[in-house]
Amino acid sequence: QRVSGTIRMRGSNYLVDSGLQQVWEDGFRRHHPDVTFDTDMKSTFVAMASLYMGQADIVHMGREASWEELMAYQRTMDGMPLGIAIATGSYDVGGWTFALGVFVHQDNPLSRLTLEQLDGIFGAARAGGWDGTAWRPEFARGAEKNIRTWGQLGLTGEWADKPIHVYGYNLNFHFPRFFADKVFDGGYMWNEDMLEHANAAKPGGGFILAGDILMGELANDRYGIAYTGLAHRAKDTRALALAGKGSTAYVDLSIGNVQSRSYPLTRAVYHYINRRPDQPVDPKVKEFLRYILSREGQQAVQADGKFLPMTAEFAREQREKLD
């Protein structure tokens, strides 16, 4: 339907920095010339607050909303925001919501893991897990499922009794939350010996990314394992194929498998909007989101070349949320 009015956009700066936001706005206004945009996108950290404080109609987050953000929204609005995926995360572009790979040293004979095994390696015993803002005791698991040596994964010879050295991000990063949601069923109990990493300041200014640091250490540790993005891959390391929960279909970390979303640790980027269960979505907001999820909108993602365009099926699933 033809719409008019002003759409207020807040949240992550990535869409503005890349120019994709402007391409979408210009493309949409060719169909709806009576719509204007009030776009002030500075940071993901102010996105959800802008929505529940009435400062935005749509907020962009370069990741999934965190537990804290959802709780703040729920307490303020007495409900939950509607999250609409607008693109698949990148394959190997650093900073652009990249798929998470699981890496080992080149000498390691292991070639694949299930997410259950990944839970055993990176996780620990827990009393449950989070499903959004709901605690689920049925997601508990015991310490008997911990995997702490390479022999527990079937490796023999010199590897059988060697401890697994686990490399990961400091838990204040958003990567661990996504990893825990997918691998630990929303739990947050991590391997007690995990070596945490954060960005490090350079003496002359700037910083070294945590992903580069941890992968540099993995390259010198034959018995290590780490998760991060392909942009941080170091020499003498390689990615493992992964199988999703309850599956033995192992999928390689490739651009085709990330774009098709068959790779288990593929990510997405989201817009969030207000929506009461008994009320329709604001027409101008709905039409703009439908535009982003259209062929034309996703062609703009492809042309930008950082995030990956959505499959037709994935885009259709998101459009149906708006009805």
Side-chain angles (χ1 to χ4, degrees):
Q1 58 180 310
R2 181 61 62 89
V3 293
S4 61
T6 299
I7 298 176
R8 299 170 300 165
M9 298 282 300
R10 302 292 184 268
S12 172
N13 56 293
Y14 277 71
L15 293 182
V16 173
D17 291 350
S18 72
L20 182 56
Q21 177 66 24
Q22 191 63 55
V23 172
W24 276 338
E25 290 182 13
D26 292 345
F28 183 69
R29 293 191 73 251
R30 285 196 293 270
H31 302 282
H32 300 276
D34 296 328
V35 169
T36 58
F37 287 87
D38 172 6
T39 302
D40 186 12
M41 301 169 75
K42 299 287 197 322
S43 171
T44 296
F45 294 113
V46 301
M48 196 60 74
S50 298
L51 194 59
Y52 61 70
M53 295 303 291
Q55 301 301 306
D57 302 301
I58 303 173
V59 297
H60 172 64
M61 307 189 74
R63 53 168 172 77
E64 309 77 10
S66 70
W67 183 89
E68 294 85 355
E69 289 160 339
L70 292 175
M71 285 296 289
Y73 186 98
Q74 186 180 52
R75 295 298 176 89
T76 304
M77 303 295 288
D78 194 27
M80 297 297 285
L82 178 60
I84 303 293
I86 58 164
T88 292
S90 79
Y91 168 60
D92 61 357
V93 183
W96 293 84
T97 319
F98 47 74
L100 294 181
V102 177
F103 298 86
V104 294
H105 193 275
Q106 189 65 43
D107 292 346
N108 193 313
L110 196 68
S111 63
R112 61 190 190 181
L113 287 171
T114 66
L115 291 197
E116 287 86 356
Q117 289 172 319
L118 209 54
D119 180 359
I121 296 166
F122 281 89
R126 55 181 177 269
W130 290 99
D131 180 7
T133 57
W135 177 249
R136 303 293 189 192
E138 62 268 29
F139 295 159
R141 78 156 177 85
E144 73 280 357
K145 292 188 177 180
N146 287 350
I147 298 174
R148 298 295 183 260
T149 67
W150 290 107
Q152 290 175 272
L153 294 169
L155 300 193
T156 59
E158 66 155 304
W159 293 85
D161 62 348
K162 294 298 188 294
I164 301 173
H165 301 155
V166 175
Y167 294 86
Y169 285 85
N170 178 276
L171 300 187
N172 274 341
F173 281 72
H174 67 270
F175 303 112
R177 182 72 265 174
F178 171 81
F179 189 93
D181 284 343
K182 292 293 185 181
V183 178
F184 304 166
D185 292 319
Y188 219 49
M189 299 296 289
W190 290 77
N191 184 315
E192 60 281 357
D193 294 322
M194 182 175 70
L195 299 168
E196 295 181 78
H197 293 77
N199 297 339
K202 292 181 180 179
F207 56 88
I208 306 171
L209 294 173
D212 290 334
I213 297 171
L214 67 89
M215 288 298 287
E217 293 181 7
L218 178 65
N220 294 306
D221 185 355
R222 296 179 75 233
Y223 305 114
I225 189 170
Y227 74 91
T228 187
L230 272 172
H232 303 293
R233 181 182 172 184
K235 183 182 178 182
D236 295 327
T237 66
R238 58 183 174 79
L240 300 178
L242 299 179
K245 285 291 179 76
S247 173
T248 55
Y250 294 92
V251 182
D252 291 325
L253 176 56
S254 69
I255 190 168
N257 291 335
V258 173
Q259 201 277 325
S260 70
R261 305 189 61 79
S262 60
Y263 179 71
L265 297 183
T266 295
R267 304 185 68 196
V269 291
Y270 292 86
H271 279 351
Y272 285 87
I273 64 174
N274 291 313
R275 183 182 187 179
R276 296 286 183 182
D278 58 343
Q279 297 178 3
V281 175
D282 180 333
K284 63 181 180 294
V285 169
K286 179 177 180 179
E287 288 302 315
F288 182 54
L289 291 174
R290 282 172 51 82
Y291 173 76
I292 292 174
L293 296 168
S294 71
R295 179 180 295 273
E296 185 175 327
Q298 291 300 298
Q299 283 174 334
V301 176
Q302 175 73 27
D304 184 64
K306 301 178 188 69
F307 297 135
L308 293 171
M310 304 164 78
T311 64
E313 180 182 3
F314 189 38
R316 187 181 308 112
E317 290 172 358
Q318 304 307 306
R319 288 197 299 271
E320 289 173 354
K321 295 180 184 179
L322 297 168
D323 295 329

